[in-house]
């Protein structure tokens, strides 16, 4: 088998002591910055980037990749314990994870998240290892019309995540889209809805929006309604283990989530967030007890968690084979490769087989390390909840404020978190769910760009959205989703 | 957060009104940016579409709640005394105030003082603030923030 | 430490000083510049061409100067945020900026209210690169044999061509507009957000043609075909590809990068940086590294670079006017 020969080849790189060390360094730092909401991976990259000039390129990329996927593991911790999503994908983790923590099941939630992450990553890795060139070609099938329709579909999934009142969910989608276009229009350079504020000329900060509508508004209402976790669980190894019933619910969910995530990773950009929302919506739709979602259903936690980790691994396909970076970390990785004279592109794998397969093997190693690192922490994190809430929440506010500020060094972002906190509180009071807003917000600029480009390419002909089979399928799915939503439940 | 002072479905009507207001505001502003044509869309085209969606949703919500008011969930209005009302209002005032103080102080007075102020002010939002403990936390948190964010991650903060 | 922190406060802080474990000595008399680490602002996010060039040169430069050279990424608004910040920095030689054809040549003609003026706010130090662009076609234009053929087909059918670019008012956009006007053809501009997605669209056949500096690897492996290079002479990376001029299109257009210092920087400091970089650019291993990426190295005196930037300002101004790519 060629695959095994390749993997053996890669193992010779990835299992050397120095590669193991850099892998460990990368995933640990990635996890740590992931745990701190809002900080994002850039400070970790800043610490390690100078190193990458002096070490072997394959070890440099193993380390940078570790930061990237390590962050995905860490990101769920603050969402589960404190309802603080540091990334758009983590907003989905809040939906079931935080109610579980309030219910005294934080350790189960954290443990299952680690397992779901591992499962998702492994599926993603296998996909990268077996099909990278084929998948890269598939990614090329996605043009402007296809991207647009895919995003419309993802927004319907986000609306489904919002709950049973479809009008209010869709309203939050539209508000998210509107907030997402604040800033400079990339095509014409015009500033839109910036009210003359230079600080938001490049758009609103997604972390400020997400932490405002989730974190800050939750803190205020928790104090007001005295709704913080009151059942202090005693942590023991066995309290971390889910019941047989929960295993049974989680296993297929993780499989479905991984599959969704792995496909989403092939599309550069908002893959992880889209995959999380879609995975959650699928679980909700398949469930026989949808009314229990939002109250701590384990499959609503594990499916999106598997999805976003599968995406993190699969996202290496477009980055390495097309040279298209999905986010800032991937862009740095491309830069680090190019500094060593290696250009990502269709021939990357053929020209650098040992590096590519070394990276794949390091994914296995890194993910196992992450689970081993995570599980001992479950106990520590859980004990955090035993701190009286009155002592804890001011510190959470400090974490939120510093995290938000650190992204752009912008004080305006701190006021934004405050404004969105109050906004979130008012909207929650009126029955508008916050989650759909977050996905719509990040998709908005991409949707507009692809919408305009699709119509530019088709010379203004709307039929371009249905003449492409891929696009037509997604729009058809949207229609089905809409019909189900309207007719299945009480409006 | 306070006692329900409006009819059971007034919330639905307010929600509809909010969406209508957002939609109209966005649509009007977008038209000002220039719509262009389908073939060559201008800056305002996409926002105008979104504004129109918001108007439609606003209308739909208003009509639905106007025609089919949701059945009153619990007819008994919650009876809340003044102490409870004050308790629920306090975090809504003090948490935002604390964050605003942090934002105002961060670049002038520095990280340490801003963090202290955020902890002290927001901490008072708690039901029965333990002042001595709060003061200790307010003293220790800035040190922790300095160790983690400045020493650990090398983030560029002005300390004091 | 405090001093360093305030300088880099608003920065993304890549290659942070803390990571290098520096201690900023108090600024002594200027007699032996540099006494402190030297910051080079890259007005783009990490990972791009400009960042790559700065980072590759930072290491040998810090060896020659005897002080660490810290790269500071300040992206945003087409590079204008970072360059604007550099224009306001103290002219003490401790803040330099990497200027390029966009920030120092095109933007002044594209943005109405730019916060800096290239030659009024900066002293050019040295030209680093001259990057020939390549016109590449993807699977969509498989039938096109060569450049004259492309022009003939476009003349026959004004709807025939659409071309990708890295965005409105980018060097790639202007290059194609220049080509379009010289060749006398029509073509529909499809802007993307940067070279990478534009290149992907070219590879997938969404658009037909593109002029860009990052196509060489895809041309070498056969995914894309090169019709012409925009430089004066053929380039080493693609020896078989004729120039525009060879094929009857009188067009020479190269993208470039150079180091600039805030206006009023001590000429001695400028001379020192210029000398160090000129030496580094001549090193064979550096030449080789950039050659593989199809990036030509230039060097020369700061006077030569000043004259070049002045000439470019004029040429690019005319081009922007012609392309109609102005913003507010």
């Amino acid at each position: 088998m060629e695959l095994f020969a390749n993997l053996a080849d890669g193992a010779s790189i990835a299992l050397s002591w120095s590669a193991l060390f850099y892998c460990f360094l990368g995933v640990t730092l990635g996890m740590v910055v992931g745990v701190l909401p809002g900080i994002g991976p850039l400070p970790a990259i800043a610490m390690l980037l100078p190193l990458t000039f002096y070490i072997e390129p394959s070890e440099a990329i193993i380390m940078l990749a570790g930061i990237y996927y390590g962050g995905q593991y860490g990101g769920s911790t603050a969402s589960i314990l404190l309802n603080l999503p540091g990334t758009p994908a983590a907003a989905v983790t809040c939906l079931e994870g935080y109610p579980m923590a309030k219910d005294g099941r934080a350790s189960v939630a954290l443990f299952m998240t680690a397992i779901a992450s591992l499962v998702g990553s492994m599926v993603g890795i296998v996909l990268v290892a077996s099909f990278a060139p084929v998948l890269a070609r598939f990614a090329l099938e996605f043009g402007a019309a296809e991207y647009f329709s895919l995003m419309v579909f993802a927004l319907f999934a986000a609306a489904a995540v919002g709950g049973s009142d479809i009008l209010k969910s869709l309203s939050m989608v539209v508000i998210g889209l509107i907030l997402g276009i604040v800033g400079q229009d990339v095509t014409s350079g015009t500033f839109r809805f910036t009210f003359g504020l230079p600080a938001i000329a490049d758009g609103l900060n997604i972390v400020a929006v997400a932490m405002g509508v989730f974190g800050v508004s939750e803190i205020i209402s928790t104090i007001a309604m005295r709704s913080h976790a009151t059942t202090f669980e005693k942590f023991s190894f066995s309290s971390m283990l889910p019941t047989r019933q929960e295993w049974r619910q989680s296993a297929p969910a993780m499989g479905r989530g991984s599959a969704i995530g792995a496909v989403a990773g092939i599309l550069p950009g908002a893959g992880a967030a889209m995959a999380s929302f879609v995975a959650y919506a699928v679980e909700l739709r398949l469930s026989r007890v949808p009314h229990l979602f939002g109250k701590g259903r384990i499959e609503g936690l594990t499916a999106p968690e598997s999805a976003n980790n599968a995406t993190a691994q699969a996202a290496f396909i477009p980055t390495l084979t097309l040279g298209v970076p999905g986010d800032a970390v991937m862009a740095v990785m491309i830069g680090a490769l190019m500094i060593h004279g290696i250009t990502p592109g269709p021939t990357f794998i053929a020209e650098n087989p040992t590096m590519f397969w070394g990276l794949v093997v390091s994914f296995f190693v890194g993910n196992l390390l992450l689970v081993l690192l995570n599980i001992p922490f479950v106990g520590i994190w859980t004990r955090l909840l035993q701190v009286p809430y009155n002592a804890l929440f001011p510190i959470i506010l400090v974490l939120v404020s510093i995290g938000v500020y650190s992204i752009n060094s912008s004080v305006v972002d701190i006021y934004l978190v405050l404004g969105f906190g109050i906004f979130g509180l008012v909207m929650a009071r009126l029955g508008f769910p916050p989650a759909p807003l977050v996905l719509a917000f990040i998709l908005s600029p991409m949707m507009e760009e692809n919408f305009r480009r699709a119509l530019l390419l088709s010379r203004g002909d709307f039929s371009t959205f249905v003449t492409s089979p891929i696009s037509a399928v997604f729009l058809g799915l949207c229609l089905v989703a809409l019909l189900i939503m309207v007719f299945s439940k009480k409006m | 957060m306070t006692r329900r002072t409006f009819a059971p479905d007034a919330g639905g009507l307010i929600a509809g009104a909010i969406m209508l207001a957002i939609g109209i505001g966005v649509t009007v502003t977008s038209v000002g940016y220039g719509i262009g044509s389908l073939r060559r869309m201008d800056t305002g085209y996409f926002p105008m579409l979104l504004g129109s969606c918001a108007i439609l949703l606003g209308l739909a919500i208003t009509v639905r709640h106007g025609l089919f008011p949701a059945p009153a969930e619990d007819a008994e209005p919650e009876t809340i005394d003044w102490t409870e009302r004050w308790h629920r209002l306090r975090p809504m005032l003090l948490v935002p105030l604390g964050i605003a103080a942090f934002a105002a102080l961060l670049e002038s007075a520095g990280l340490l003082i801003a963090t202290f102020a955020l902890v002290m002010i927001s901490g008072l939002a708690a039901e029965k603030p333990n002042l001595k403990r709060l003061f200790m936390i307010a003293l220790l948190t800035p040190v922790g923030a300095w160790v983690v964010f400045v020493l650990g991650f090398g983030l560029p903060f002005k300390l004091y | 430490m405090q001093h360093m922190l305030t300088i880099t406060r608003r920065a993304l802080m890549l290659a942070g000083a803390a990571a290098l474990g520096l201690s900023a000595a108090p600024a002594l008399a200027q007699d032996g510049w540099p006494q402190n680490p030297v910051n080079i602002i890259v007005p783009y996010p990490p990972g791009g061409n400009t960042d790559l060039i700065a980072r590759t040169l930072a290491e040998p430069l810090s060896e020659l100067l005897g002080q660490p050279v810290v790269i500071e990424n300040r992206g945003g608004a087409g590079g204008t945020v970072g360059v604007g910040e550099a224009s306001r920095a103290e002219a003490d030689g401790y803040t330099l900026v990497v200027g390029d054809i966009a920030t120092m040549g095109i933007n002044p003609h594209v943005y109405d209210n730019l916060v800096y003026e290239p030659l009024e706010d900066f002293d050019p130090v040295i030209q680093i690169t001259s990057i020939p662009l390549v016109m590449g076609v993807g699977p969509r234009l498989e039938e096109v044999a060569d450049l004259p053929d492309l022009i003939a087909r476009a003349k026959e059918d004004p709807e025939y061509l659409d071309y990708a670019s890295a965005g409105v008012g980018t060097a790639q956009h202007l290059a194609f507009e220049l080509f379009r006007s010289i060749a006398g053809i029509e073509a529909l501009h499809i802007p993307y957000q940067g070279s990478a997605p534009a290149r992907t669209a070219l590879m997938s056949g969404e658009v037909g043609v593109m002029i860009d500096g990052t196509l060489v690897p895809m041309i070498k492996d056969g995914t894309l075909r090169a019709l012409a290079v925009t430089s004066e002479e053929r380039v080493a990376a693609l020896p078989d590809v004729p120039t525009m001029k060879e094929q009857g299109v009188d067009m020479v257009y190269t993208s470039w990068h150079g180091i600039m210092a805030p206006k009023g920087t001590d000429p001695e400091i400028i001379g020192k940086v210029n000398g160090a970089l000129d030496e580094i650019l001549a090193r064979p291993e550096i030449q080789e590294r950039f050659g593989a990426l199809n990036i030509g190295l230039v060097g020369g005196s700061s006077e030569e670079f000043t004259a070049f930037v002045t000439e470019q300002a004029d040429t690019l101004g005319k081009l922007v006017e012609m392309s109609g790519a102005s913003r507010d």
Side-chain angles (χ1 to χ4, degrees):
Chain A
M1 276 288 285
E2 197 192 342
L3 181 62
F4 291 110
N6 285 331
L7 287 174
D9 208 16
S12 67
I13 300 264
L15 299 181
S16 73
W17 282 111
S18 61
L20 283 174
F21 170 74
Y22 288 119
C23 183
F24 176 77
L25 201 62
V27 295
T28 311
L29 259 171
M31 193 187 93
V32 171
V33 290
V35 167
L36 291 169
I39 292 294
L42 282 174
I45 297 229
M47 293 172 73
L48 299 185
L49 198 59
L51 249 182
T52 60
F53 298 111
Y54 306 107
I55 62 181
E56 280 287 300
S58 47
E59 289 171 353
I61 189 168
I62 283 173
M63 180 172 74
L64 291 173
I67 299 179
Y68 178 77
Y69 58 80
Q72 306 285 331
Y73 272 78
S76 47
T77 309
S79 306
I80 292 172
L81 295 174
L82 309 170
N83 206 36
L84 287 180
T87 62
V92 184
T93 313
C94 292
L95 296 176
E96 303 300 326
Y98 186 62
M100 281 182 78
K102 276 190 159 182
D103 210 22
R105 288 189 292 151
S107 50
V108 177
L110 289 168
F111 176 80
M112 283 311 278
T113 307
I115 299 297
S117 298
L118 181 69
V119 170
S121 302
M122 290 300 165
V123 171
I125 298 164
V126 169
L127 199 76
V128 175
S130 345
F131 302 112
V134 187
L135 291 169
R137 266 201 299 282
F138 176 67
L140 283 180
E141 295 291 313
F142 271 76
E146 288 82 4
Y147 271 119
F148 177 77
S149 303
L150 169 69
M151 287 187 267
V152 174
F153 172 69
L155 290 181
F156 271 96
V161 167
S164 58
D165 190 336
I166 181 67
L167 287 177
K168 284 181 179 166
S169 292
L170 285 175
S171 294
M172 282 311 252
V173 166
V174 171
I175 292 177
L177 290 171
I178 290 170
L179 292 172
I181 53 174
V182 171
Q184 195 170 27
D185 171 24
V186 290
T187 317
S188 70
T190 315
F191 291 101
R192 295 183 295 188
F193 306 103
T194 54
F195 309 104
L197 281 174
I200 55 172
D202 277 342
L204 301 174
N205 179 347
I206 171 63
V207 180
V209 175
M211 301 248 266
V213 295
F214 277 90
V216 173
S217 76
E218 177 63 29
I219 288 173
I220 295 176
S221 89
T222 301
I223 305 169
M225 310 310 284
R226 301 186 188 85
S227 59
H228 45 84
T230 42
T231 45
F232 294 155
E233 53 177 323
K234 264 231 173 298
F235 178 77
S236 65
F237 186 76
S238 59
S239 74
M240 192 166 81
L241 296 176
T243 61
R244 185 182 295 254
Q245 170 75 9
E246 283 170 323
W247 276 117
R248 237 197 335 264
Q249 285 159 351
S250 293
M254 287 190 235
R256 287 188 289 264
S258 305
I260 292 166
V263 175
I266 302 157
L267 310 168
M274 275 201 278
S276 294
F277 276 87
V278 173
Y280 185 89
V282 166
E283 292 311 314
L284 186 65
R285 184 53 55 208
L286 293 178
S287 173
R288 261 171 291 167
V289 283
H291 57 282
L292 291 180
F293 273 66
K295 296 177 183 129
R297 288 296 288 181
I298 192 117
E299 66 267 39
L301 177 71
T302 47
E305 205 55 45
S306 290
N308 74 47
N309 283 278
T311 307
Q313 305 299 161
F316 283 91
I317 297 175
T319 302
L320 295 177
T321 60
L322 298 175
V324 182
D327 68 356
V329 183
M330 290 292 201
V332 173
M333 209 140 44
I334 291 183
L337 280 176
M338 288 178 72
I339 257 181
H340 289 284
I342 299 158
T343 327
T347 52
F348 173 83
I349 300 173
E351 281 171 11
N352 309 280
T354 32
M355 177 186 284
F356 176 76
W357 293 106
L359 187 64
V360 170
V361 175
S362 87
F363 289 165
F364 280 109
V365 177
N367 278 289
L368 286 171
L369 279 175
L370 278 166
V371 170
L372 292 179
L373 278 171
N374 258 278
I375 288 177
F377 271 106
V378 170
I380 299 174
W381 297 133
T382 313
R383 277 189 200 99
L384 197 70
L385 289 183
Q386 295 176 7
V387 176
Y389 196 71
N390 286 349
L392 191 59
F393 81 81
I395 299 172
I396 303 173
L397 288 171
V398 168
L399 279 180
V400 168
S401 305
I402 292 181
V404 163
Y405 174 80
S406 71
I407 297 165
N408 297 323
S409 303
S410 160
V411 171
V412 174
D413 285 352
I414 308 177
Y415 288 112
L416 277 179
V417 108
L418 165 86
F420 278 102
I422 295 171
F423 171 80
L425 204 60
V426 172
M427 295 311 263
R429 181 80 180 132
L430 292 171
F432 288 94
L437 179 140
V438 175
L439 184 69
F441 179 90
I442 54 163
L443 291 187
S444 175
M446 280 179 265
M447 272 185 94
E448 177 180 18
E449 192 192 333
N450 284 290
F451 180 67
R452 284 166 84 164
R453 187 179 301 135
L455 288 173
L456 203 55
L457 285 162
S458 73
R459 312 298 198 261
D461 183 359
F462 265 103
S463 69
T464 181
F465 293 110
V466 285
T467 45
S468 142
I470 296 178
S471 168
V473 165
F474 280 118
L475 290 180
L477 285 173
C478 294
L479 199 65
V480 174
L482 189 67
L483 291 175
I484 293 177
M485 281 191 259
V486 171
F487 290 108
S488 72
K489 283 186 220 144
K490 59 178 167 99
M491 261 266 283
Chain B
M1 293 294 110
T2 52
R3 178 176 60 132
R4 190 167 270 200
T5 51
F6 31 75
D9 217 32
L13 293 179
I14 295 175
I18 289 179
M19 284 310 288
L20 272 176
I22 292 176
I24 293 170
V26 169
T27 311
V28 170
T29 320
S30 310
V31 172
Y33 292 136
I35 299 298
S37 64
L38 258 191
R39 189 169 164 169
R40 212 164 247 291
M41 265 172 253
D42 210 344
T43 316
Y45 195 96
F46 193 71
M48 184 201 66
L49 285 184
L50 297 179
S52 317
C53 290
I55 292 176
L56 286 179
L57 284 166
L59 283 175
I61 293 174
T62 314
V63 168
R64 199 184 78 198
H65 287 272
L67 296 182
F68 317 100
E73 304 135 22
D74 47 309
E76 296 278 313
E78 267 184 280
T79 45
I80 304 173
D81 61 12
W82 284 103
T83 341
E84 180 62 14
R85 224 179 269 190
W86 168 237
H87 162 74
R88 294 198 183 174
L89 190 63
R90 213 170 34 207
M92 291 191 76
L93 296 174
L94 288 175
V95 168
L97 192 68
I99 299 177
F102 180 86
L105 290 171
L106 186 59
E107 292 195 342
S108 51
L111 177 71
L112 300 180
I113 291 176
T115 307
F116 177 81
L118 170 54
V119 175
M120 269 322 276
I121 297 173
S122 65
L124 294 175
E127 185 161 22
K128 291 188 196 85
N130 178 339
L131 287 179
K132 209 168 120 194
R133 189 178 67 190
L134 184 61
F135 188 70
M136 288 305 293
I137 297 172
L139 282 183
L140 288 176
T141 313
V143 179
W146 171 64
V147 170
V148 173
F149 295 103
V150 178
L151 290 187
F153 289 112
L155 292 175
F157 276 107
K158 181 185 151 143
L159 282 179
Y160 46 83
Chain C
M1 213 56 211
Q2 190 60 37
H3 178 63
M4 275 299 304
L5 289 177
T6 35
I7 291 177
T8 59
R9 261 205 19 243
R10 293 186 57 86
L12 265 174
M13 270 293 290
L14 283 141
L20 293 173
L22 318 171
S23 63
L28 300 170
Q30 285 295 329
D31 48 15
W33 182 91
Q35 300 284 338
N36 290 333
V38 177
N39 281 3
I40 298 184
I41 294 182
V42 169
Y44 299 102
N49 245 351
T50 311
D51 183 57
L52 195 69
I53 290 162
R55 286 183 191 279
T56 313
L57 298 178
E59 187 200 320
L61 185 61
S62 73
E63 270 165 31
L64 287 186
L65 295 179
Q67 279 286 348
V69 174
V70 180
I71 302 294
E72 202 178 293
N73 294 81
R74 256 330 257 135
T80 58
V81 173
V83 177
E85 197 161 288
S87 74
R88 292 186 298 273
E90 256 186 83
D92 55 7
Y94 292 109
T95 306
L96 305 171
V97 62
V98 188
D100 66 347
I101 185 170
T103 54
M104 296 296 177
I106 298 171
N107 288 356
H109 308 291
V110 174
Y111 293 85
D112 278 347
N113 46 359
L114 202 61
V115 289
Y116 63 87
E117 264 302 318
L119 286 167
E120 268 161 41
D121 291 333
F122 292 99
D123 287 321
V125 177
I126 187 167
Q127 182 175 359
I128 303 172
T129 69
S130 170
I131 304 173
L133 303 183
V134 181
M135 178 187 276
V137 291
R140 170 96 165 264
L141 296 183
E142 214 166 323
E143 71 274 15
V144 172
D146 52 14
L147 190 64
D149 185 32
L150 180 89
I151 295 171
R153 285 169 193 265
K155 277 190 172 151
E156 203 170 292
D157 175 7
E159 292 272 300
Y160 182 69
L161 270 190
D162 33 34
Y163 72 92
S165 86
V168 175
T170 55
Q172 295 90 324
H173 174 204
L174 296 187
F176 206 99
E177 284 300 310
L178 179 64
F179 165 74
R180 206 176 59 75
S181 81
I182 293 174
I185 55 169
E186 291 294 316
L188 181 63
H189 176 215
I190 313 284
Y192 288 79
Q193 290 241 56
S195 281
R199 190 177 61 219
T200 310
L202 188 65
M203 283 157 61
S204 73
E206 183 166 80
V207 288
V209 58
M210 171 180 183
I211 295 183
D212 194 87
T214 65
L215 304 180
V216 175
M218 289 77 196
I219 290 164
K220 281 192 168 156
D221 76 26
T223 320
L224 298 174
R225 268 183 320 132
L227 295 185
V229 290
T230 63
S231 46
E232 188 76 48
E233 278 155 29
R234 292 191 183 201
V235 298
L238 300 167
D240 300 331
V241 178
T243 63
M244 287 270 181
K245 273 187 164 175
E246 280 178 61
Q247 301 178 85
V249 178
D250 188 16
M251 163 175 172
V252 174
Y253 185 100
T254 51
S255 173
W256 48 269
H257 297 84
I259 298 283
M260 315 279 261
K263 194 76 177 180
T265 303
D266 191 343
E268 247 177 68
I269 296 178
I270 291 182
K272 212 163 176 179
V273 179
N274 179 286
L277 281 172
D278 203 31
E279 190 202 313
I280 294 165
L281 293 178
R283 291 183 188 169
E285 79 268 16
I286 298 279
Q287 296 260 354
E288 194 186 329
R289 194 180 269 196
F290 281 104
L293 297 169
N294 191 33
I295 294 174
L297 297 179
V298 181
S301 70
S302 56
E303 289 77 19
E304 283 169 329
F305 187 35
T306 311
F308 177 74
V309 176
T310 317
E311 178 267 322
Q312 282 280 298
D314 187 45
T315 318
L316 293 166
K318 287 181 192 140
L319 252 179
V320 170
E321 208 171 301
M322 193 187 71
S323 74
S326 98
R327 300 184 183 187
D328 50 354

